[in-house]
Amino acid sequence: MAYPSQLGFQDAASPVMEELLHFHDHALMIVLLISILVLYIITTTVTTKLTNMYILDSQEIEIIWTVLPAVILLLIALPSLRILYLMDEINSPHLTVKAIGHQWYWSYEYTDYQEVAFDSYMVPTQDLTPGQFRLLEVDHRMVTPAEAPVRMLITAEDVLHSWAVPALGVKMDAVPGRLNQARFIASRPGVYYGQCSEICGANHSFMPIVIEAVPLNFFQDWLTLVLEDASL
């Protein structure tokens, strides 16, 4: 959960998000070193009154400033490609949930069960209870088991949407007529908030996403209650 005046990312709640945070720090350190080097060269070039004829025409220094950027790009590209493959890898998910974007709410279908489907609307400000977050709370949370791989099938019914939960490192476009796939593993029980991240109309800001990750036995109890309500 983000907090006021936060400058960095939210705390990672999934293995993929932890990898993304590490890659962010890795890339930022490289950018910082390059910036310091460039600033030093500019400062010395402006302030010095000395000249050196060998710097004006030198094969060695040309080789260095050609090879060095290529090495730096490799140091950034290889970890990035590794994370991309990790994000796309889906092996034996324990649960599959289909998220459908509408103007302006989300629908969830637990495709492993016939009767488990519901709409998730934002709770209006006047209906909030103490402890709930304005513009982020919904009337029906998406409940998933913690420490279990979950596959998300994401689509839309009307216009482009984007299903995004920053703490879990998940962001996938919801495109009408197309079924996109994503996955996440909640590292620990908790409530994780997200929002539609694609401008989708007048009420784009009012279709939040709330995932409640619970231990497996609590998820089974919740699922039993939902199935009993659906059978009535």
Side-chain angles (χ1 to χ4, degrees), residues 53-64:
M53 59 177 294
Y54 296 107
I55 292 181
L56 299 178
D57 185 17
S58 174
Q59 295 294 327
E60 290 79 9
I61 196 170
E62 289 184 8
I63 292 174
I64 291 173

Side-chain angles (χ1 to χ4, degrees), residues 160-179:
L160 290 176
H161 300 279
S162 183
W163 198 84
V165 183
L168 298 175
V170 180
K171 182 179 180 182
M172 182 60 67
D173 285 345
V175 183
R178 180 184 177 93
L179 202 61

Side-chain angles (χ1 to χ4, degrees), residues 1 5 26 44 81 95 113 130 135 177 185 195 203 212 229:
M1 182 67 195
S5 303
H26 167 73
T44 53
L81 290 173
L95 180 69
Y113 310 92
L135 301 182
I185 301 174
Q195 290 178 302
N203 293 330
E212 185 172 354
D229 292 340

